[in-house]
Amino acid sequence: MGAALARAAQWTAAGSGTGTLEITPLNESLLNQIIKFAEDFSTRHPREAAFVFREPLEWKTQLGCSVFGEGYEINEATVQSEAKGKDGQPLLLLMASTLRVRSFDQLSSLLQIAMEKKLKEAQACLEANRDPIVKILGPEYGTVEGEDMSMLHLLDKVKKDDDPETELKMKIFLLLHQLDLQLLNSSLKHISEDIRLNPAAINNEVNLLKNFSGKGEDTVLESLEYTSDYTFSNGCRAPPWRQVHGEICYLVIKPHDTDPLYITCSTAGVFLNGVSNNKGFHGEYNFFKEPTYEKNYQRMEVVDAKVSGQSQNLYDFTEKNVCEKVKSSAARRRSIDKKKLEPSMKFLRFLLSCNNFDDVTSFPQQGREISCNHVQYWSSRTVILSYFYKTSGRFEDISESSSETEEDEEQPVRHQEGNTDLPSEYWGIQKLAKYLKGGNPTATVIALCSMRDFNLAQETCQLAIRDIGCLEVLINLLDTEEIKCQIGSLKILKEISQNTLIRHAIADLGGLQIMVKILDSPDKDLKCLAAETIANVARFKRARRTVRQHGGIKRLVGLLECISVGSTSLTPYQAKDTEIARCGALALWSCSKSIKNKEAIRKAGGIPLLARWLKCSHANILTPVVGTLQECASEPSYRLAIRTEGMIENLVKNLSSEHEELQMHCASAIFKCAEDKETRDLVRQHGGLQPLSVLLGNSENKQLLAAVTGAIWKCAMSGENVSKFREYKAIEALVGLLTDQPEGVLVNIVGALGECCQEPINRTTIRKCGGIPPLVKLLAGTDQALLVNVTKAVGACATEPENMMIIDRLDGVRLLWSLLKNPNPDVQASAAWAICPCIENAKDAGEMVRSFVGGLELIVNLLKSKNKEVLASVCAAITNIAKDEENLAVITDHGVVPLLSKLANTNNDKLRRHLAEAISHCCMWGSNRVTFGETKAIAPLVRYLKSNDPSVHRATAQALYQLSEDPNNCITMHENGVVKLLLAMVGSTDEILQEAAAGCIANIRRLALATEKAKYG
């Protein structure tokens, strides 16, 4: 167990102190296995369970005295077990919040008592006892790196001594060693999924293979060479425009016995290219030539994987190896002055590949000035590159794996048209600029104070600061040692960075890197201002990446550490710490829109700190904390942490806050987390469904309404929650919101109604509240997510005959049928599922279906889809259509039988079930039974009987019964061993399955008897 905890478990250290176990799927899996081992230990190994540990396992528990019952002595805040060791000490002792356990027997009982808290208890125990084997058996059994000789020493001791305790220790050690191996093996799958290739690993492999290459007979390869000798600073040999797709290098391998092989090595693996001669991809690559996309760029075809889709798996580039991707569309280029000369593209690529800018002697040294279109301080490599961004307009940032939509990346650059209409503020700032640039520290501070007197929220003032060169000076002041100058500069930057253009300019000039360094300053005011400014600037992708690459995430997480968390009355010192945490949370909120930053926050130990701040009562810090959590809740690891760290209770509590923004973020976090059933149950248990229902009354705030309806939708996926929503009159409120709402809100409202419609009483409620007409009206929309939800809701309502009459009268079935033409497979599938109850509950279903011109041909053609859900839903619809004889004849003419037969070879149980039902009903017309046999549908159907799904068995037995009416089909069934499989099902408790299985066997038997009679008379 010690080896697994040391090597496989994922630990984090939040600032100072001992490491803690991260809340990740891997750790949860390891903890659950350890819990199961400990719980079962006393029953499986009673003798070993009674063994008293060398030292007690000690940790801080969350359990109270009240949970302990029989077998324990409770005295006020102290609990001790009645069972005692040879020394008379209790085997379990709880004093205050410290718990000490001295045997597996007590450990097993404790975990059973802990119930839903057992995961937290196991986590706390292992965090406090990093190598529990030492506490259990002694230091000689501790986990060691390298060769572990403890097992051999133990064997020698057992041979020499007849001590029963030594033998007992031997057995316990073996059991723990076996658990260790089990944990390591189970973690291997999780860990292997995260392992990716890198240039160093590939280089090692290539060098190894080169040792076995050559002309001799004892070599395995004739040669193995890279296609290029040029190596970039990050170790890659692929050109920059392929590195952004994860490619590292290209190889030519010449075996002794076949043609050369052309290989692409990428972060996702090694792939064989689809070329086989010297005219292929590798021969055409010029590393400093822009690729001609239509001709050369697409020449490489990947056999085993689509490497071109790997940009989301690209490993994290540092600033030193950032490569710029060429823009393909001239329409997206920023307008520039035609008189300006564009920088050399070849020189820029050289610049990008340089590790050390001291080599670039033509640029001025740090802190000097050069004359471009305005004063520029060349203080870092980022600033140099920013000149090229602004003058050429030909480059954009590398696409980062991110969940965010780009908020303001492509805003046009604005220019002042002339000097005639400029307001007085513009000239006032221009006068201050000379004092800011050339004055001493005192004059600079005065100039900064005077600049703050202007209305910096006004766009004219913001752009004036940029246009006359003050922005570069303000950023340069951050790199001084004058605290007052830094504070003054940051106060101005914080105000003006609300402007999109200013944000980009600050990032281009290297301001973020300096602000990240300021986060280490001992001055608390300075740290607050730097974090707030980062929060403003980091609203676009490149800025967020810069913060992460320069260590900003870890520093921002460090700002959350504060001893005053949860205090109601704060001293001035604690209030300042709380303000620092608020600013840090604001910056993390902005940065958390990137997937990589979310991961960085988790690894820096941010989750426990955010959980602590969630318990405070100050809305000004709660808002950015909850905002960060709801942004990160799109990741499974965060959803797991939010659930296990007890954050759901606090999120529910803040739904009743007076601050609408806080309510919105809490509802949004629940919306994302309620994908998991355990979270939905926790929301109900902590009383979160009622405040959500109450918030439906606030229909003016559309953002809040979208978050609340989303949370209700996801929570309604649990039947117990639907009953509560009915009790709180939420369904009536949702129906009332079906009109005059934005599409984002409607998607959630209709999704919630679709889940609530699973209960018959709610379907009646929707009809009585007049909800069916607006739902049918929404079927004519174009939003794909809305169409998926509204078709589900209409389909659920259609299961009630009275509702179906209204849907039919409003032409709802025709609208559903028209959605089968939608190109989105999700919409097609949802529409087909909705059509099924419509056909079942319509008064004259056959005539209704025939009235749709081309409708039957359309649904038959959907059997050619590649989407399994579409195929299953269409098969279910065909099952209902085929109940009408005339419609069955029409779909038979459209070729439904061979199309169904083509689908028979599938392993998807959902598709199997509905396909078998469709085949069963299609057998009722003409010679369809014979055609199914001729199109080889029989043998795959027999294999369906080996499925583990009882519904598949029933549908398949019915289909086989219908098919067995044809003699040739009986022969095929018998040859494929159907009789043995059906005999087992004759004894089923499902009467329909019984009858179908028996009927099929009877038909096969009749054919056999007729054959014997004809043969022998």
Side-chain angles (χ1 to χ4, degrees):
M1 191 159 63
L5 289 175
R7 298 173 190 169
Q10 296 168 332
W11 296 85
T12 182
S16 58
T18 58
T20 58
L21 279 169
E22 292 186 61
I23 304 299
T24 63
L26 171 58
N27 282 355
E28 187 181 30
S29 173
L30 294 176
L31 287 171
N32 283 328
Q33 290 179 68
I34 293 169
I35 288 168
K36 190 174 187 310
F37 173 83
E39 280 184 322
D40 298 344
F41 197 91
S42 58
T43 52
R44 290 187 174 186
H45 314 286
R47 184 164 168 260
E48 288 77 12
F51 174 78
V52 179
F53 298 163
R54 180 80 166 265
E55 293 180 39
L57 296 176
E58 183 177 327
W59 71 92
K60 295 288 183 182
T61 182
Q62 295 182 1
L63 300 176
C65 300
S66 58
V67 300
F68 294 91
E70 188 179 350
Y72 298 93
E73 299 172 1
I74 303 174
N75 182 16
E76 294 181 355
T78 304
V79 178
Q80 63 179 23
S81 62
E82 293 176 354
K84 293 180 171 55
K86 293 179 181 178
D87 56 359
Q89 296 297 318
L91 297 180
L92 182 144
L93 179 63
L94 172 61
M95 295 180 66
S97 61
T98 302
L99 185 63
R100 296 182 181 88
V101 179
R102 300 178 61 204
S103 74
F104 279 110
D105 206 358
Q106 291 298 322
L107 199 58
S108 177
S109 302
L110 178 72
L111 289 171
Q112 291 170 15
I113 290 169
M115 298 177 70
E116 72 275 1
K117 292 185 178 179
K118 64 177 70 173
L119 194 68
K120 296 295 292 181
E121 290 301 310
Q123 181 183 350
C125 176
L126 294 173
E127 286 174 354
N129 305 276
R130 291 289 285 267
D131 196 357
I133 296 176
V134 172
K135 296 281 187 77
I136 295 169
L137 299 175
E140 63 270 22
Y141 297 93
T143 305
V144 295
E145 292 296 327
E147 191 176 5
D148 188 357
M149 304 296 290
S150 56
M151 186 76 75
L152 296 175
H153 294 321
L154 193 59
L155 283 169
D156 291 338
K157 193 171 182 181
V158 169
K159 287 180 182 178
K160 293 176 183 176
D161 302 336
D162 291 331
D163 184 9
E165 186 176 338
T166 305
E167 184 183 346
L168 199 61
K169 280 188 177 182
M170 174 74 172
K171 289 183 179 178
I172 293 172
F173 183 77
L174 289 172
L175 290 169
L176 293 174
H177 183 67
Q178 186 179 358
L179 172 64
D180 223 1
L181 293 175
Q182 179 187 329
L183 295 175
L184 289 169
N185 287 333
S186 68
S187 65
L188 185 62
K189 182 180 177 182
H190 289 273
I191 295 169
S192 62
E193 290 174 356
D194 296 330
I195 293 175
R196 306 193 63 74
L197 286 179
N198 57 58
I202 289 173
N203 195 47
N204 291 339
E205 294 283 349
V206 169
N207 290 337
L208 179 65
L209 286 172
K210 279 185 176 180
N211 293 332
F212 299 95
S213 302
K215 298 290 185 182
E217 295 181 358
D218 56 346
T219 58
V220 293
L221 296 171
E222 186 176 323
S223 68
L224 185 150
E225 300 294 339
Y226 291 108
T227 59
S228 171
D229 293 330
Y230 184 85
T231 305
F232 287 88
S233 59
N234 59 348
C236 295
R237 295 170 185 258
W241 49 88
R242 294 308 300 172
Q243 287 184 34
V244 297
H245 294 297
E247 293 175 14
I248 297 171
C249 65
Y250 313 104
L251 302 171
V252 181
I253 299 175
K254 290 185 181 178
H256 289 293
D257 54 353
T258 186
D259 293 334
L261 305 173
Y262 303 98
I263 304 296
T264 294
C265 301
S266 79
T267 56
V270 179
F271 305 97
L272 178 65
N273 297 351
V275 294
S276 58
N277 54 54
N278 291 333
K279 296 179 182 180
F281 171 85
H282 70 285
E284 296 186 357
Y285 238 122
N286 184 337
F287 279 75
F288 288 103
K289 178 182 177 182
E290 295 179 42
T292 306
Y293 291 88
E294 289 77 6
K295 295 181 180 179
N296 299 335
Y297 188 55
Q298 301 293 344
R299 288 290 296 272
M300 187 186 73
E301 299 173 2
V302 178
V303 175
D304 295 309
K306 294 183 180 179
V307 179
S308 62
Q310 291 166 2
S311 61
Q312 291 201 0
N313 295 325
L314 187 62
Y315 52 82
D316 202 357
F317 277 70
T318 62
E319 185 188 355
K320 287 185 179 180
N321 60 22
V322 172
C323 301
E324 305 298 1
K325 186 173 65 174
V326 180
K327 285 189 176 179
S328 60
S329 173
R332 293 181 61 183
R333 295 178 184 172
R334 294 182 178 175
S335 59
I336 59 172
D337 190 342
K338 293 181 180 178
K339 293 181 181 179
K340 293 177 185 176
L341 294 175
E342 291 188 356
S344 163
M345 303 302 292
K346 186 171 182 179
F347 173 68
L348 180 53
R349 291 198 190 94
F350 163 70
L351 199 60
L352 287 166
S353 65
C354 284
N355 279 328
N356 188 349
F357 268 80
D358 292 339
D359 298 335
V360 189
T361 55
S362 61
F363 275 82
Q365 296 300 314
Q366 182 172 342
R368 305 268 180 90
E369 299 181 9
I370 69 166
S371 176
C372 296
N373 56 337
H374 57 259
V375 179
Q376 189 109 10
Y377 287 78
W378 300 99
S379 58
S380 69
R381 182 181 184 196
T382 305
V383 181
I384 298 172
L385 292 177
S386 74
Y387 171 67
F388 291 95
Y389 297 144
K390 291 194 284 186
T391 55
S392 72
R394 297 179 64 181
F395 289 87
E396 68 178 358
D397 296 307
I398 297 172
S399 295
E400 180 177 325
S401 296
S402 176
S403 60
E404 81 269 24
T405 56
E406 206 51 53
E407 183 179 310
D408 48 28
E409 192 71 44
E410 292 295 332
Q411 294 289 336
V413 176
R414 295 184 52 175
H415 299 281
Q416 294 288 354
E417 296 297 331
N419 296 336
T420 55
D421 299 327
L422 292 176
S424 59
E425 290 88 346
Y426 190 92
W427 304 114
I429 291 173
Q430 190 176 48
K431 289 177 184 177
L432 285 174
K434 61 182 179 181
Y435 296 107
L436 207 57
K437 291 179 183 178
N440 56 36
T442 304
T444 301
V445 171
I446 294 170
L448 289 170
C449 293
S450 299
M451 192 173 286
R452 287 200 67 213
D453 290 337
F454 288 95
N455 182 9
L456 296 178
Q458 188 178 342
E459 188 177 29
T460 305
C461 296
Q462 295 168 349
L463 296 180
I465 291 172
R466 186 199 65 171
D467 292 344
I468 62 179
C470 283
L471 192 58
E472 293 87 341
V473 181
L474 290 172
I475 291 171
N476 208 43
L477 286 173
L478 298 180
D479 220 3
T480 66
E481 295 180 359
E482 291 289 333
I483 299 293
K484 290 180 180 178
C485 290
Q486 289 178 308
I487 289 175
S489 175
L490 279 172
K491 282 183 176 179
I492 294 170
L493 289 171
K494 185 185 83 170
E495 295 294 328
I496 65 175
S497 58
Q498 301 289 345
N499 184 291
T500 299
L501 301 171
I502 301 292
R503 287 200 285 269
H504 282 262
I506 290 171
D508 290 343
L509 295 169
L512 279 170
Q513 293 91 318
I514 303 172
M515 291 179 210
V516 167
K517 289 179 183 176
I518 290 174
L519 294 175
D520 291 329
S521 169
D523 189 284
K524 294 184 177 182
D525 290 325
L526 203 55
K527 286 199 285 191
C528 283
L529 288 167
E532 279 194 276
T533 311
I534 289 171
N536 289 340
V537 177
R539 293 183 189 175
F540 63 102
K541 195 179 296 185
R542 178 159 51 88
R544 287 190 281 271
R545 186 172 63 247
T546 301
V547 173
R548 182 184 70 249
Q549 290 174 347
H550 289 82
I553 300 296
K554 190 172 182 181
R555 290 179 172 95
L556 289 170
V557 168
L559 298 183
L560 297 179
E561 292 188 31
C562 178
I563 58 172
S564 63
V565 179
S567 303
T568 51
S569 58
L570 300 175
T571 64
Y573 180 83
Q574 290 174 328
K576 179 55 70 175
D577 276 355
T578 303
E579 178 62 13
I580 291 173
R582 184 190 72 83
C583 297
L586 277 171
L588 288 173
W589 187 4
S590 293
C591 292
S592 64
K593 289 180 173 63
S594 158
I595 289 177
K596 289 182 180 177
N597 284 356
K598 292 172 189 176
E599 182 68 11
I601 292 169
R602 184 181 65 79
K603 288 184 176 177
I607 296 177
L609 293 172
L610 289 169
R612 284 171 58 195
W613 278 111
L614 195 58
K615 295 174 183 175
C616 81
S617 56
H618 305 290
N620 62 338
I621 187 169
L622 275 173
T623 300
V625 166
V626 177
T628 305
L629 285 171
Q630 68 87 16
E631 200 67 59
C632 293
S634 57
E635 297 299 304
S637 59
Y638 274 90
R639 293 201 295 270
L640 174 64
I642 288 170
R643 186 176 77 241
T644 54
E645 290 280 351
M647 292 189 236
I648 297 296
E649 182 179 0
N650 299 109
L651 290 173
V652 167
K653 177 184 172 184
N654 287 312
L655 285 174
S656 303
S657 168
E658 297 176 355
H659 302 270
E660 288 190 356
E661 187 182 4
L662 179 56
Q663 290 176 322
M664 179 191 73
H665 292 309
C666 288
S668 183
I670 291 171
F671 176 22
K672 293 177 181 177
C673 293
E675 294 281 352
D676 309 314
K677 185 182 184 303
E678 295 88 346
T679 302
R680 295 196 290 270
D681 293 340
L682 285 172
V683 173
R684 183 183 68 255
Q685 290 162 14
H686 292 302
L689 303 182
Q690 187 170 12
L692 285 173
S693 302
V694 170
L695 286 172
L696 288 173
N698 189 350
S699 58
E700 299 301 318
N701 187 333
K702 300 304 180 185
Q703 286 185 314
L704 174 60
L705 190 60
V708 169
T709 51
I712 290 174
W713 171 22
K714 296 302 178 183
C715 288
M717 290 178 177
S718 294
E720 301 92 333
N721 292 352
V722 172
S723 301
K724 287 288 184 183
F725 283 131
R726 185 176 70 250
E727 182 184 329
Y728 300 139
K729 306 294 182 184
I731 295 158
E732 291 88 336
L734 288 167
V735 171
L737 293 169
L738 276 173
T739 53
D740 301 325
Q741 298 296 340
E743 283 187 339
V745 176
L746 283 173
V747 169
N748 296 341
I749 292 171
V750 176
L753 288 173
E755 296 298 336
C756 293
C757 279
Q758 305 308 314
E759 287 190 3
I761 189 170
N762 293 337
R763 297 195 285 267
T764 305
T765 303
I766 291 172
R767 183 184 73 250
K768 290 179 177 178
C769 292
I772 293 178
L775 283 173
V776 172
K777 187 178 179 181
L778 290 173
L779 289 171
T782 56
D783 184 271
Q784 304 296 299
L786 179 57
L787 287 174
V788 169
N789 284 355
V790 77
T791 47
K792 181 178 179 180
V794 171
C797 288
T799 55
E800 298 287 329
E802 292 181 32
N803 292 354
M804 182 56 213
M805 289 173 63
I806 302 173
I807 293 168
D808 193 18
R809 187 173 70 247
L810 296 169
D811 215 17
V813 183
R814 186 183 299 277
L815 289 170
L816 283 171
W817 216 287
S818 67
L819 289 175
L820 296 174
K821 299 177 184 177
N822 193 292
N824 188 326
D826 294 332
V827 176
Q828 290 175 345
S830 189
W833 286 122
I835 285 169
C836 296
C838 291
I839 297 173
E840 286 178 11
N841 294 286
K843 279 191 174 179
D844 189 359
E847 185 58 37
M848 178 187 72
V849 171
R850 283 191 296 279
S851 69
F852 304 139
V853 179
L856 291 173
E857 184 179 5
L858 172 63
I859 205 161
V860 169
N861 284 334
L862 280 176
L863 289 172
K864 299 173 185 176
S865 172
K866 302 294 183 185
N867 186 286
K868 291 287 193 294
E869 189 69 19
V870 172
L871 292 172
S873 61
V874 170
C875 286
I878 287 172
T879 300
N880 288 286
I881 292 168
K883 291 175 183 177
D884 181 89
E885 194 173 73
E886 288 185 44
N887 290 339
L888 176 54
V890 174
I891 61 174
T892 300
D893 291 340
H894 287 309
V896 73
V897 173
L899 287 172
L900 289 173
S901 298
K902 280 184 180 179
L903 301 177
N905 285 300
T906 179
N907 294 321
N908 186 298
D909 277 345
K910 189 175 186 179
L911 176 55
R912 281 177 165 183
R913 173 195 166 187
H914 294 290
L915 176 60
E917 288 176 352
I919 290 173
S920 174
H921 284 81
C922 287
C923 285
M924 304 297 186
W925 178 257
S927 60
N928 283 358
R929 291 187 181 89
V930 178
T931 310
F932 277 121
E934 291 172 349
T935 50
K936 296 183 169 46
I938 310 299
L941 275 174
V942 173
R943 291 197 291 272
Y944 290 8
L945 296 174
K946 296 177 182 177
S947 168
N948 294 322
D949 188 345
S951 62
V952 175
H953 295 164
R954 176 198 274 202
T956 305
Q958 288 177 300
L960 291 172
Y961 171 57
Q962 292 297 331
L963 291 165
S964 65
E965 299 289 337
D966 178 66
N968 290 327
N969 291 348
C970 288
I971 294 168
T972 307
M973 289 179 199
H974 191 271
E975 288 173 349
N976 284 276
V978 76
V979 175
K980 186 177 179 181
L981 294 168
L982 287 174
L983 280 171
M985 294 175 187
V986 171
S988 170
T989 54
D990 185 338
E991 291 184 4
I992 296 174
L993 175 59
Q994 272 186 346
E995 290 179 11
C1000 184
I1001 293 170
N1003 287 339
I1004 294 171
R1005 183 59 185 155
R1006 285 192 197 97
L1007 177 64
L1009 289 172
T1011 305
E1012 287 180 9
K1013 188 175 182 181
K1015 189 174 181 180
Y1016 300 109

